[in-house]
Amino acid sequence: MMKILHPILCYYPSQAGGPANTLYWLNTALSKTDFETVVLSTKFGIAKPLNSLNFAANQEVVFLDTKGKAFIKKGIKQMSGCDVVQFSSLFFPPTLPLLLKAVMQRKAIIISPRGELYASALSQKAMKKKVWKGVIALFQKHINFHATNTFEKGIIQQHFPKAKSVTLIPNYIKLEQKLDVEIKDQFVFVGRINPIKNIDLLIHAFSELLKSNVSSNYELLIVGSARLPYELEYEVLLKDLIMELNLQDHVKLLGHLEGEDKHQIIASSKALVLPSKSENFGNVVLEALAQGTPVIASKNTPWEILEQHNSGYWVEGNIESLTLAMQHLAVMQLEHFYSMRTNAYTLCKSKFDIQTNSHVWENYYKKITSDV
């Protein structure tokens, strides 16, 4: 039985980061096969009592209060019995010391940067990340990198040209029950309240949408929370913008939602809008498609497939293009709209369902362990 170690900042039931769910869905699917997973995570983003959590067989999850020495010590101990060490961040503090230990122990190593090498991400704490990345580059011939889209794969190859391998595997999702709800005159954004998400641009675009007679009663629901200081400042900016544009009756900041509360809002919306300045994947797109909800995504995100499958719109990240896409959905004939909803669900189930695609990861793990 192959054993995989995941050192990670947050893990399900935490909703503080996309990998928390992505890896949970993957590990749960793997638990039904000849794989065993060990997750070493902090308690970041977890509100539930840990003794109430149950995980599948062959999935051991350890939550620690720290990402410091105790985390590293525990990681080294867990590593000895593992075949693969899979990191979900380049810059998570324990990554570097655990990477060095994994190289010494000749483990198969995977690093999933998950957007950390995008220019917008590298610009924050730029000097520290440059040094950190330079140290990791010294060991790149031992590292198998994982990208979630073609653009990210190219970026990884630029930064680590001598990497052992760079493989493209999209994120997969566990399909929740598709809800049968009334579709309301509303659009929804779900994600962090962060400048990189371009929410202010979306609010401006929505303001333009309301000027049309056919969509003057629409609402824009913003689901998500701000955690970091600069995110809290951005949230204040958004509230001021809503007041400035006189949108108090049309734009609602709902804060953090999860589970069925979140799925209900997504399922009952005309579309989910993802106007991000950059996005290496966007799990929320899968959550929308899984409910049959079309998606409007900016071309700064890797979602060209939406238009290829008539499941939404892939548009320029500007006010005019976002407004036009929302207008199209607002006036679309019901027959065409429900056809698009069917296409959205079919796309998610065929391309991104973990139950039918876990073999992609199984084959990948087997390949990289045979190459060690």
Side-chain angles (χ1 to χ4, degrees):
M1 180 173 286
M2 188 180 300
K3 193 170 184 179
I4 303 155
L5 172 64
H6 295 279
I8 190 170
L9 172 65
C10 55
Y11 192 71
Y12 179 87
S14 172
Q15 299 297 303
N21 283 328
T22 300
L23 287 178
Y24 170 70
W25 293 322
L26 171 61
N27 291 342
T28 301
L30 290 175
S31 68
K32 302 173 184 177
T33 61
D34 294 329
F35 289 84
E36 183 178 353
T37 56
V38 179
V39 177
L40 185 60
S41 174
T42 72
K43 297 177 182 177
F44 183 64
I46 293 182
K48 297 180 180 179
L50 293 178
N51 58 12
S52 68
L53 303 178
N54 293 307
F55 295 96
N58 299 329
Q59 184 179 175
E60 179 185 353
V61 183
V62 179
F63 291 103
L64 298 178
D65 292 313
T66 175
K67 56 185 176 182
K69 292 181 180 178
F71 191 106
I72 296 167
K73 185 177 179 180
K74 185 71 173 179
I76 291 173
K77 183 178 179 180
Q78 294 278 17
M79 189 183 300
S80 60
C82 293
D83 304 287
V84 179
V85 183
Q86 183 168 351
F87 300 96
S88 291
S89 168
L90 285 162
F91 304 120
F92 180 44
T95 292
L96 188 52
L98 291 179
L99 171 64
L100 299 180
K101 192 66 175 181
V103 171
M104 292 171 58
Q105 293 189 6
R106 299 179 62 82
K107 304 293 183 181
I109 299 167
I110 303 170
I111 296 183
S112 305
R114 299 190 181 278
E116 290 180 326
L117 292 174
Y118 282 46
S120 56
L122 288 176
S123 65
Q124 298 181 30
K125 301 180 180 179
M127 184 54 65
K128 181 179 179 180
K129 288 181 178 179
K130 183 177 181 180
V131 173
W132 192 273
K133 185 165 61 72
V135 175
I136 290 177
L138 297 174
F139 304 95
Q140 60 182 294
K141 67 179 182 180
H142 302 284
I143 302 172
N144 302 282
F145 284 92
H146 159 233
T148 58
N149 66 73
T150 304
F151 181 71
E152 184 180 43
K153 182 177 180 180
I155 292 177
I156 293 172
Q157 290 170 330
Q158 290 175 13
H159 287 279
F160 300 102
K162 298 180 180 179
K164 189 168 186 178
S165 70
V166 184
T167 299
L168 171 58
I169 304 176
N171 287 347
Y172 298 115
I173 188 174
K174 177 188 175 184
L175 266 65
E176 300 288 345
Q177 179 181 358
K178 189 171 179 288
L179 301 177
D180 184 13
V181 297
E182 177 188 357
I183 310 302
K184 301 178 182 179
D185 289 342
Q186 66 188 34
F187 292 96
V188 63
F189 165 87
V190 180
R192 289 179 299 149
I193 306 302
N194 187 297
I196 203 170
K197 300 295 185 178
N198 250 355
I199 306 170
D200 56 311
L201 193 78
L202 173 58
I203 292 173
H204 277 290
F206 183 74
S207 178
E208 293 300 311
L209 175 72
L210 292 182
K211 295 176 183 179
S212 166
N213 290 333
V214 296
S215 50
S216 59
N217 293 322
Y218 268 72
E219 286 191 328
L220 172 63
L221 307 180
I222 299 173
V223 177
S225 60
R227 294 176 179 270
L228 302 173
Y230 76 95
E231 292 177 335
L232 293 168
E233 292 177 6
Y234 184 59
E235 186 175 42
V236 172
L237 182 151
L238 296 181
K239 291 178 179 178
D240 290 344
L241 179 60
I242 291 168
M243 294 287 288
E244 178 186 332
L245 296 175
N246 197 27
L247 296 175
Q248 303 92 310
D249 295 333
H250 294 275
V251 180
K252 311 294 183 184
L253 277 74
L254 302 182
H256 176 74
L257 296 176
E258 56 185 79
E260 187 167 345
D261 291 337
K262 179 174 68 172
H263 295 146
Q264 282 275 355
I265 287 177
I266 292 174
S268 61
S269 296
K270 278 289 179 74
L272 176 127
V273 190
L274 188 69
S276 303
K277 295 176 183 177
S278 71
E279 196 86 44
N280 80 302
F281 194 79
N283 278 357
V284 68
V285 172
L286 298 186
E287 294 183 69
L289 297 177
Q291 292 298 333
T293 301
V295 175
I296 300 169
S298 74
K299 289 189 176 180
N300 301 317
T301 71
W303 284 103
E304 184 177 4
I305 196 172
L306 293 170
E307 296 204 340
Q308 295 170 351
H309 289 257
N310 191 27
S311 301
Y313 299 93
W314 193 56
V315 302
E316 296 295 338
N318 58 48
I319 293 172
E320 182 181 2
S321 298
L322 290 169
T323 302
L324 189 60
M326 288 188 284
Q327 284 176 340
H328 282 168
L329 282 165
V331 301
M332 184 177 288
Q333 292 182 0
L334 284 179
E335 179 185 355
H336 294 157
F337 175 67
Y338 280 100
S339 174
M340 182 176 281
R341 286 183 57 83
T342 298
N343 293 340
Y345 181 79
T346 301
L347 171 60
C348 188
K349 187 167 180 59
S350 62
K351 299 282 188 181
F352 301 104
D353 180 8
I354 187 60
Q355 298 302 322
T356 55
N357 289 286
S358 61
H359 68 277
V360 176
W361 275 103
E362 293 170 29
N363 293 337
Y364 178 53
Y365 288 135
K366 291 174 182 176
K367 181 181 185 301
I368 64 170
T369 50
S370 67
D371 292 341
V372 173

